[in-house]
Amino acid sequence: MIKPDAVENGHVGGILDKITSAGFKIVAMKYTQLSKRDAKAFYAVHSERPFFGELVEFMTRGPIVTAIIEKENAVDDFRALIGATNPAEAAEGTIRKLYATSIGENAVHGSDSDENAAIEGDFHFAGREIY
Ligand code: ATP
Ligand code: MG
């Protein structure tokens, strides 16, 4: 997902360029907005964390771009491309270093395992929207 902060700040094109230039293939993509229910379900693993309410407010405040992307070693390579959760700790040249503003408003989401990538892909897309 390209999160609401990065969409608001006009970084959709820049982020998609970083992703495709790094060798990822886009197999599904849409411009949409999460409901409260969607965001709570998507980030359910964090429901007990102190920042959960803030995270749900943030993720629902405007449109996002959501996509399924493919590559060899995609999960690890994408997490390397996006950088650390906190942009202050993200490596030079990473998407979060370039485009994120804070640990909460950090421009992009990446799946943390192949298993969760499959679950998250199904959360956002019907089978006929995946190419
Ligand atoms: P994501 O799952 O969005 O790709 P991540 O895997 O790098 O991010 P997680 O630990 O899964 O980080 O946290 C999920 C999201 O919750 C973060 O991307 C960020 O938006 C928010 N978040 C995490 N830690 C904090 C915090 N300490 N304060 C505020 N928001 C936070
Ligand atoms: Mg995560």
Side-chain angles (χ1 to χ4, degrees), residues 99-117:
Y99 298 123
T101 44
S102 68
I103 189 168
E105 303 202 2
N106 59 6
V108 281
H109 162 78
S111 303
D112 60 13
S113 65
D114 287 348
E115 189 190 4
N116 282 335

Side-chain angles (χ1 to χ4, degrees), residues 1-4 7-8 30-39 56-66 123-124:
M1 288 187 284
I2 301 177
K3 297 184 179 183
V7 175
E8 286 160 12
K30 68 173 78 164
Y31 193 56
T32 186
Q33 184 164 2
L34 297 178
S35 67
K36 293 275 181 330
R37 184 177 166 192
D38 292 332
V56 170
E57 282 300 315
F58 163 57
M59 286 302 299
T60 58
R61 80 170 183 223
I64 62 167
V65 174
T66 186
F123 178 89
H124 284 293

Side-chain angles (χ1 to χ4, degrees), residues 22 24 71-82:
F24 290 88
K71 184 181 179 296
E72 280 298 308
N73 203 36
V75 167
D76 287 346
D77 286 1
F78 191 66
R79 296 202 69 91
L81 180 67
I82 70 179

Side-chain angles (χ1 to χ4, degrees), residues 3 42-43 45-46 79 85 96 109-112 116 120:
K3 297 184 179 183
F42 190 89
Y43 280 117
V45 65
H46 296 305
R79 296 202 69 91
T85 307
R96 282 171 169 163
H109 162 78
S111 303
D112 60 13
N116 282 335
E120 292 174 359

Side-chain angles (χ1 to χ4, degrees), residues 7-21:
V7 175
E8 286 160 12
N9 294 328
H11 298 316
V12 170
I15 291 171
L16 290 177
D17 183 44
K18 291 283 287 181
I19 292 169
T20 53
S21 296

